[in-house]
Amino acid sequence: MTGRARRREAAAALQSQGVSGRLTARLLGMSRRTLKRSAHKRHDDALRAELVTLATSHPRLGYRMLHALIEGGGTTVNHKRVYRIYREEGLMVRRRRRKKLVRGRVAMVAPQRPGDRWSMDFVSDQLMDGRRFRVLNVIDDCTKRCLWQEVDFSLSGHRVVRVLEQLVALYGKPKAVLMDNGPEFTSVAMQLWARRNGIVQLFIQPGKPMQNAYVESFNGKFRDECLNENLFLDIEEARRIIESWGTFYNTIRPHSSLGYVPPEQFEASFKPQRLSLQVVP
């Protein structure tokens, strides 16, 4: 029932109790002319039925689209009339709730050997002209070695796959890759790559970056020691400086969790020792 219809009903109830028309109009905030005017009966049954049928068949269309469909069928009708019936029948389009991503908690088991698990994450910064760029960091969770840092303005899921294919060619396949729920990591390209190579995809829970602690720790060092200490004129300079810092991190910089040796030196302890053959005379 519309507001006007409710006021008319209230006016009729007051007048049935002997309240004058002047007082009734004053109490309900209506003009006496409106009060005296008889309600106009609308002949909306056919239009109402057609609108309900269309809205039922096309539940995601709003009243303007439904009005266009009605007029496309040969019926000329004012869009305001369609909107009134649309509201009265409660045909408004319901907003879809965003699906909540549910991930199980990732157990942070320390990897025992190189290649047991890689971790990936993005870090962003900007050039001196204000343009923002991103850095994809990939590390080995066992040796803490930075396997790769891809620097560019845009890094899609396909670009991430190309980086991983290069790393597999260099270091072999990891057993698992740990990452957050960003669109680049949850893309179809990433899923197909992991399935094709038999690699387990591990996702942290949304809003729980501490579950990706290895690469988050690396990101903190990278930002503090490299990004915050340098100004980048262009993307090429950013790549050169970041590559230089990555080499320093892997080969020279002591790592506290590795007994204060750099990652490459720690990684060398996992390589099989060559046996020296002695010739017996």
Side-chain angles (χ1 to χ4, degrees):
M1 184 182 294
T2 62
R4 182 178 297 179
R6 284 194 293 269
R7 286 196 299 271
R8 288 187 181 279
E9 185 178 334
L14 288 172
Q15 288 184 320
S16 67
Q17 296 176 7
V19 181
S20 67
R22 186 188 301 273
L23 182 57
T24 298
R26 185 183 303 169
L27 290 173
L28 297 177
M30 300 170 61
S31 68
R32 294 181 66 192
R33 181 178 298 180
T34 302
L35 185 62
K36 291 179 180 179
R37 185 183 302 128
S38 59
H40 176 68
K41 182 174 177 58
R42 295 188 173 94
H43 301 284
D44 292 333
D45 294 344
L47 178 60
R48 190 180 299 271
E50 183 179 5
L51 186 61
V52 170
T53 301
L54 287 173
T56 304
S57 302
H58 309 285
R60 300 307 301 172
L61 297 186
Y63 85 93
R64 291 189 181 275
M65 296 292 289
L66 295 173
H67 172 255
L69 288 177
I70 290 172
E71 291 207 326
T75 303
T76 302
V77 59
N78 190 286
H79 71 277
K80 296 179 182 178
R81 186 179 173 193
V82 172
Y83 180 70
R84 174 177 56 79
I85 301 173
Y86 179 81
R87 297 281 299 186
E88 290 174 0
E89 294 295 327
L91 302 176
M92 292 74 71
V93 177
R94 302 294 189 269
R95 288 190 177 182
R96 286 178 174 165
R97 289 186 177 182
R98 184 176 180 181
K99 293 182 179 179
K100 187 175 181 180
L101 185 61
V102 178
R103 298 283 192 193
R105 178 177 172 82
V106 178
M108 289 302 297
V109 179
Q112 301 301 310
R113 295 194 59 81
D116 281 355
R117 187 178 66 222
W118 293 353
S119 294
M120 298 191 299
D121 197 16
F122 287 102
V123 175
S124 64
D125 202 36
Q126 65 180 20
L127 304 177
M128 290 186 66
D129 60 9
R131 288 183 297 168
R132 298 199 66 82
F133 64 90
R134 305 179 78 194
V135 183
L136 170 66
N137 292 325
V138 186
I139 69 166
D140 187 294
D141 288 354
C142 176
T143 64
K144 311 302 186 294
R145 177 174 183 169
C146 176
L147 303 176
W148 198 271
Q149 291 184 286
E150 188 76 0
V151 184
D152 214 330
F153 296 111
S154 176
L155 295 170
S156 65
H158 290 281
R159 184 75 170 273
V160 174
V161 168
R162 289 202 298 271
V163 168
L164 291 173
E165 287 177 343
Q166 294 176 4
L167 293 179
V168 167
L170 288 172
Y171 303 105
K173 296 179 183 180
K175 294 179 181 178
V177 178
L178 179 62
M179 50 206 148
D180 61 26
N181 299 278
E184 302 85 1
F185 299 147
T186 58
S187 65
V188 175
M190 272 294 300
Q191 294 179 42
L192 291 177
W193 174 82
R195 186 178 303 176
R196 214 168 36 237
N197 290 276
I199 296 171
V200 178
Q201 287 181 287
L202 300 176
F203 294 97
I204 66 172
Q205 292 176 302
K208 304 285 186 179
M210 66 288 296
Q211 293 180 6
N212 203 1
Y214 289 95
V215 74
E216 288 292 341
S217 174
F218 173 83
N219 289 345
K221 298 179 180 70
F222 171 53
R223 181 169 295 282
D224 182 55
E225 300 176 14
C226 181
L227 297 182
N228 291 347
E229 290 295 314
N230 292 280
L231 296 175
F232 308 108
L233 291 174
D234 52 41
I235 195 68
E236 292 301 328
E237 183 178 52
R239 287 172 179 151
R240 287 195 300 271
I241 293 175
I242 290 171
E243 182 181 3
S244 175
W245 183 86
T247 301
F248 164 77
Y249 174 86
N250 283 332
T251 59
I252 299 174
R253 182 190 183 281
H255 201 292
S256 59
S257 69
L258 303 179
Y260 291 95
V261 298
E264 280 197 3
Q265 182 177 338
F266 180 77
E267 184 182 36
S269 64
F270 289 92
K271 295 180 180 179
Q273 300 293 327
R274 292 185 178 180
L275 297 178
S276 57
L277 298 180
Q278 294 184 352
V279 179
V280 179

